[in-house]
Amino acid sequence: MNLFHRLPCAAALLLLALSVQAQSSRGLPPGGASSVTLYGIAATELVHVTNVREGTSLGSTDRLENSKVTASRLGFIGSEDLGGGLSAVFNLEMGYSLDTGNPSNATAFFNRSSYVGLRGGFGTLTLGRHWDLEDDILGRYFVFAGYSAFQFSEFGGISETLPNSVKYVSPSWGGVTLRGLYALGEGTAGHTSEIAANYAAGGPFEAGATWRVQHDAQGRATKLATAGASYLFQPGATGSWRLHGGYATSTPDAAIGTPKAAAYDIGLVWTPPKLALNLTLDYVARDQKGTPDDSAFVRLGAEYFLSKRTALIANLVRMQNKGSASQRFYGLGAAGYDQNVYSVGLRHAF
């Protein structure tokens, strides 16, 4: 019996042996007695996309896709009280494609995170495979979970996991949290260093910033800096409104030969009164410095909650490419061609 045949059995034994509580976020559970939580998201979308390149042909496609808005996942998260305010913590999380049932990464089973560490009055220190610091804090400031600046080729580092890494998250001091991450690379890739700060004191205003230096195997460095802010207006007769904005710059080593680029995001989230509905409108632009090859997209998104855990989702996206830019959301793009995305789907968190 191979590993993949054993995994369902192991999961069943865990469910029988442990008190399992539902959880859908990546946050660590509160300290206390030993606990393990099984959690996940199941989401998929029906998608129509224009100007998808396949070989030498260019055309529209219809597909059932793993949701780009909220990627499907399955995870285990837990902690053990070690006494004296110290806890051991761990997280194992894999991504999968709901439409096919396949893991989203064929070479890394727990591709979304796999780490163990300690948490105490000093903060949290973990070792393993981590989400980068940009992904940790920028979800409130950039379009999140797929339709975001990290769709642009120079800004993939805004949301990715880093293997062989050490991560530190400080306690909150008046709403300010500091973070640091170092990925060793271990001979197959260069090392990556990141620092970040975020302010979230429970009020209407939040803000954060990150700094990243990533070296390739030849020692050449690409630098990524981001900043963002969010403001939640006092709910009134028209419902709840939240304005957010983000900015990022990517500066590769001159020897790499890739131009410097900047990305901008400004968006508005509206929750109408007496409706379990969120509507999001965002404009995201990419400026490749010194070239006419710029891109931008507008995204209108909707979430209608059938319950606290289940929602209908829809998206309209128009990506515009100038010059020879070929940015895209699905498939392969074509130089100078725009891409439109229309999608409807269903998401359930458990």
Side-chain angles (χ1 to χ4, degrees):
M1 184 181 290
N2 63 32
L3 173 62
F4 289 96
H5 289 124
R6 291 193 186 106
L7 281 171
C9 299
L13 289 173
L14 279 170
L15 289 171
L16 290 172
L18 302 170
S19 174
V20 178
Q21 302 171 341
Q23 179 171 311
S24 62
S25 72
R26 288 201 296 267
L28 289 169
S34 177
S35 67
V36 175
T37 298
L38 171 69
Y39 67 94
I41 291 176
T44 192
E45 296 176 286
L46 287 166
V47 182
H48 176 77
V49 192
T50 65
N51 289 332
V52 177
R53 179 166 59 87
E54 296 181 0
T56 58
S57 64
L58 189 69
S60 299
T61 182
D62 298 293
R63 56 183 72 187
L64 184 66
E65 281 282 344
N66 191 39
S67 173
K68 277 182 172 289
V69 181
T70 309
S72 298
R73 68 200 66 172
L74 178 66
F76 300 89
I77 197 166
S79 67
E80 182 188 12
D81 187 353
L82 302 176
L86 187 67
S87 296
V89 296
F90 81 93
N91 182 217
L92 301 171
E93 184 175 293
M94 64 166 291
Y96 65 94
S97 298
L98 191 70
D99 55 321
T100 64
N102 294 326
S104 57
N105 188 317
T107 61
F109 189 79
F110 288 113
N111 65 302
R112 292 182 61 87
S113 64
S114 56
Y115 61 76
V116 66
L118 296 172
R119 179 183 56 206
F122 59 87
T124 303
L125 181 67
T126 52
L127 302 92
R129 184 187 188 107
H130 299 90
W131 284 97
D132 59 20
L133 304 187
E134 291 80 8
D135 188 275
D136 282 355
I137 68 173
L138 293 179
R140 294 284 286 178
Y141 317 130
F142 284 85
V143 188
F144 198 43
Y147 294 110
S148 185
F150 66 77
Q151 288 291 334
F152 295 139
S153 54
E154 298 92 347
F155 296 96
I158 288 181
S159 183
E160 68 175 2
T161 55
L162 295 171
N164 307 310
S165 57
V166 180
K167 188 175 188 176
Y168 170 73
V169 181
S170 78
S172 176
W173 297 298
V176 176
T177 303
L178 304 179
R179 298 170 185 259
L181 183 146
Y182 182 77
L184 283 73
E186 299 193 3
T188 60
H191 60 275
T192 300
S193 304
E194 295 185 332
I195 56 174
N198 195 59
Y199 173 76
F205 177 75
E206 299 179 15
T210 70
W211 171 255
R212 168 188 178 120
V213 180
Q214 182 175 11
H215 294 83
D216 64 17
Q218 288 73 43
R220 299 172 300 191
T222 294
K223 300 173 183 178
L224 176 67
T226 72
S230 170
Y231 189 85
L232 178 64
F233 294 93
Q234 185 71 25
T238 60
S240 173
W241 300 83
R242 184 173 67 85
L243 180 67
H244 64 259
Y247 173 75
T249 61
S250 175
T251 308
D253 188 290
I256 297 176
T258 303
K260 181 178 179 180
Y264 314 82
D265 183 329
I266 184 167
L268 188 65
V269 181
W270 176 44
T271 303
K274 301 179 182 179
L275 286 177
L277 176 68
N278 289 332
L279 294 175
T280 304
L281 178 64
D282 275 270
Y283 174 77
V284 186
R286 163 187 170 270
D287 176 18
Q288 191 178 76
K289 303 298 183 180
T291 80
D293 305 329
D294 301 330
S295 304
F297 68 85
V298 177
R299 176 236 178 175
L300 176 63
E303 297 175 298
Y304 180 74
F305 293 90
L306 302 173
S307 71
K308 290 183 178 181
R309 298 182 181 277
T310 304
L312 299 174
I313 52 180
N315 281 274
L316 299 175
V317 183
R318 175 158 177 83
M319 168 78 80
Q320 293 182 305
N321 285 306
K322 298 179 180 179
S324 60
S326 57
Q327 303 298 303
R328 79 289 183 273
F329 285 95
Y330 289 95
L332 296 175
Y337 281 85
D338 301 337
Q339 190 174 85
N340 298 329
V341 180
Y342 312 90
S343 72
V344 292
L346 181 66
R347 181 185 68 227
H348 176 73
F350 58 90

Coordinates of all heavy atoms in Angstrom, one line a residue, residues 115 218 265 333:
Y115 N 5.0 23.4 8.7 CA 6.0 23.9 9.7 C 5.7 23.5 11.1 O 4.6 23.0 11.4 CB 6.1 25.4 9.6 CG 4.8 26.2 9.9 CD1 4.3 26.3 11.2 CD2 4.0 26.7 8.9 CE1 3.1 27.0 11.5 CE2 2.8 27.4 9.2 CZ 2.4 27.5 10.5 OH 1.2 28.2 10.8
Q218 N 22.7 32.3 -8.9 CA 24.0 33.0 -9.3 C 24.3 34.1 -8.4 O 25.2 34.9 -8.6 CB 23.9 33.4 -10.7 CG 23.9 32.3 -11.8 CD 22.7 31.5 -11.8 OE1 21.6 32.0 -11.8 NE2 22.8 30.2 -11.9
D265 N -2.8 49.3 -6.8 CA -4.2 48.7 -6.6 C -5.0 49.7 -5.8 O -4.6 50.1 -4.7 CB -4.0 47.3 -5.9 CG -5.4 46.6 -5.7 OD1 -6.4 47.3 -5.6 OD2 -5.4 45.4 -5.7
G333 N -1.1 34.0 -22.4 CA -1.5 35.3 -23.0 C -0.8 35.4 -24.3 O 0.1 34.7 -24.7

